[in-house]
Amino acid sequence: MAVDNKTVFDRPVALRDVVTHYCPGCTHGVIHRIVSEVLDELGLRERTCGVAPVGCSVLCYNYYNCDFMEAPHGRAPALATGFKRMRPDMIVFTYQGDGDLASIGMGEIVHAANRGEKFTTIFVNNAIYGMTGGQMAPTTLQGQVTTTCPVGRDTSMTGQPIRMAELLSALATPAYIERVAVHHPKYILQAKKAIRKAFRLQRDNKCYTLIEVLSTCPTNWGNTPGEATEWLDDNMMKYFPLGCYKDFQEDDSGS
Amino acid sequence: MAKVLMKGNEAIAEAALRAGAEGYFCYPITPQTEVAEYLSKRMPEVGGVFLQGESELAVANMLFGAASTGKRIFTTSSSPGISLMQEAISYMAGAELPAVIINIMRGGPGLGGILPAQSDYFQAVKGGGHGDYRVLVLAPSTVQEAVDLTMLSFHLADKYRNPVMLIGDGMIGQMMEAVEFPDDYQEPELPSSSEWAATGAEGREARIIKSLFLDPTGLEDNSWKLDRKYRQMIKEEVRSEKYKISKTNKVLIVAYGTMARICQTAIDELEEEGISVGLFRPISLFPFPEQEIFKEATKANIKSVLTIEMSTGQMVEDVQKVVQGKKPVEFYGRTGGIVPTPDEVKEQVRGIVSKKKTSGKSRKKT
Amino acid sequence: MPGITIDKDHCKGCELCVQACPQRILAMSKDITVRGYYYAQLADPSRCIGCRICALVCPDVAIEVNTHGLMFELFDY
């Protein structure tokens, strides 16, 4: 009995076959793949428009094989709002880093979530500004060294890192908000489940969805890709616990 | 259609709908909030999108997103709010997105005041955001013209795939006048926006609506491409109006918007005193009517040019640039919400005609 | 027999797959690619169980997993 050779893991259609600019070991690449797989599996690629932030992942529009808009720093949720309101039949997602979403764009993300805008946000939290070379971000941990807190973040002067999943979950408007991670295979499985659920809820026009994804930044954390996964596991997971912070109940669908 | 008495702000709102606007994003700010109040009722009636955002900054970025769908969208605000929109306007110009932004100007700088002014000329005409871009700027002087120019703005925004700004002062927004909306509004044919909009990569390559060009040659190419559009605007979109311009004119007044209307009254009254004055009214502030002003200003019979604005003097610099010193260019201005009266205009003209006036900026007698 | 193919032109030598492989059969090459990276290689193809974990963790989608009918189904993904 000839046993056919089946490919059980391959590049999704929604992810272009190009080498990315991301640093070796940067888990942006894993998140890009997961989102693209979900777009393929739900058959959404051809009616999707993504919104790129300003940051390392601004160039994600060169990797995602769907229509894209490039937003001013922090304003992706506003672009997504404007687009989705005009084209509620299309799938819209913003892909943002922690500087983009939790710092300059805090106003936009809070209000978009609170209005219950029917788009999905993939919020990549790597506790640092990547593109500009490793500065302190709103999610930088206490004592974490960056180029703008060279002796470690002094939270008595700069405040505590911001837990976005929890913060946005305090909003009353129905939403599905979960924090996941991608630095270990078992978390990658959970991350994909959550991202698929978020896009499914959007496809079914239910509510605002945001997935916060803890991610590594070996170059600016100053360690190897392998060490970065361990640093994330030991430090970020404690301060940013994974889990579903707001789940969507069917009866909430009043909005 | 019959004439109807309407407040400027509401007439502008209705005009936008008649021009096919399908989305309006707004934030309350005096003196133009009635546009939002009107459209919060009307937009749903026509099946369009009405959304009040959390700030003008967010609203301008919603405009970017909405424009990327290829549909006609617009916003209205006033001076401080327009300042918050400048970054997004620069991005829309860089990404070649059509959008209409209407500024019902109030006194500035800072929180300034809520009364009419023309102090945002530089911001509008010289480009309030960063980078090599321009915005096509139109300035109505009556509520009817505000209706006509609002409708025209949507066509020009689509024609050039560039933001178009309409600037009127608080009076244009707050005044009530009889207006008429065209019955069957016709526009010259334009290519469909579906050729560039983000409509979903079905049966075609994905599209990226962006303004980032990390490769300098890419950015330069894009900037020169934008510049060609602005050259075309300068060639095709200059609009102006002349009032009582004749060989007997001693003085040429250059004024726009509400200020021009006040000057017309002064001109009529001066005529009775035997003083002949002509008015040149730019309707497009970018592209600025340079040749036309030069032609009128340098006529032999013109003794002096007088620019009058509801500001401390902004358009006057462009008039001076155009006239190139061939004739003296005087300025008279009131600002902060104070509107010059016809008598003040007449006094300025009399001063020029009787040579008692020295050139340069003259202020309200303090 | 399950196996993987690694596109060495996509590999950036981050070694996340080497660290994650439950069979400990991935290793880095001795030579470098045109981009200057060492790349991951399957040191012992016979012991690959086709579990896909290496492909899961790869940030650059450089690993394709093929099975010849036999696959050790650990999880659905």
Side-chain angles (χ1 to χ4, degrees), chain A residues 3 6 8 20 22 33 37, chain C residues 10 12 56 65 67-68 77:
Chain A
V3 177
K6 197 152 69 73
V8 290
T20 68
Y22 297 118
R33 191 197 68 234
E37 285 164 350
Chain C
H10 273 270
K12 292 177 185 165
L56 275 185
V65 183
T67 70
H68 302 287
Y77 170 70

Side-chain angles (χ1 to χ4, degrees), chain B residues 186-203:
Chain B
Q186 296 300 333
E187 273 184 41
E189 196 59 41
L190 283 176
S192 156
S193 62
S194 59
E195 283 165 25
W196 54 265
T199 51
E202 188 177 357

Side-chain angles (χ1 to χ4, degrees), chain B residues 311-336:
Chain B
S311 73
T312 53
Q314 297 188 19
M315 181 178 68
V316 61
E317 293 187 7
D318 283 337
V319 176
Q320 283 163 339
K321 188 185 80 176
V322 163
V323 173
Q324 298 160 20
K326 293 207 166 33
K327 287 283 166 77
V329 176
E330 314 289 352
F331 170 76
Y332 180 74
R334 302 296 301 274
T335 191

Side-chain angles (χ1 to χ4, degrees), chain A residues 67-68 70 72 79 83 115, chain B residues 54 200 204 207 209 211-212:
Chain A
D67 281 358
F68 244 83
E70 172 201 275
L79 271 73
F83 191 100
R115 284 191 301 266
Chain B
E54 62 269 26
R204 64 160 169 75
R207 287 177 184 151
I209 295 180
S211 53
L212 176 69

Side-chain angles (χ1 to χ4, degrees), chain A residues 27 38 41 49 64 80 111 151 158 167 169 187 191 196 199 215:
Chain A
T27 44
V38 166
E41 286 157 24
C49 185
Y64 286 115
H111 280 282
V151 291
T158 63
L167 187 145
S169 303
Y187 297 122
R196 183 187 295 122
F199 276 96
S215 184

Side-chain angles (χ1 to χ4, degrees), chain B residues 1-2 4 6 10-22 38-39 42-43 45-46 72 74 147-148 150-152 154 179-187:
Chain B
M1 198 193 112
V4 56
M6 256 180 134
E10 289 173 356
I12 286 169
E14 187 58 35
L17 297 185
R18 300 299 175 91
E22 297 182 63
Y38 181 86
L39 287 174
R42 273 289 282 151
M43 204 45 127
E45 283 171 9
V46 299
R72 284 188 162 178
F74 76 115
V147 164
D148 303 335
T150 296
M151 300 181 80
L152 176 65
F154 285 95
V179 288
E180 201 168 2
F181 295 97
D183 278 338
D184 54 352
Y185 177 60
Q186 296 300 333
E187 273 184 41

Side-chain angles (χ1 to χ4, degrees), chain A residues 83 85-89, chain B residues 20-23 47 49 63 65-74 98-99 154 158 193 196-197:
Chain A
F83 191 100
R85 292 266 172 155
M86 300 305 292
R87 287 296 304 271
D89 57 312
Chain B
E22 297 182 63
V49 167
L63 222 53
S68 299
T69 64
K71 298 190 175 207
R72 284 188 162 178
I73 45 85
F74 76 115
F154 285 95
D158 284 347
S193 62
W196 54 265

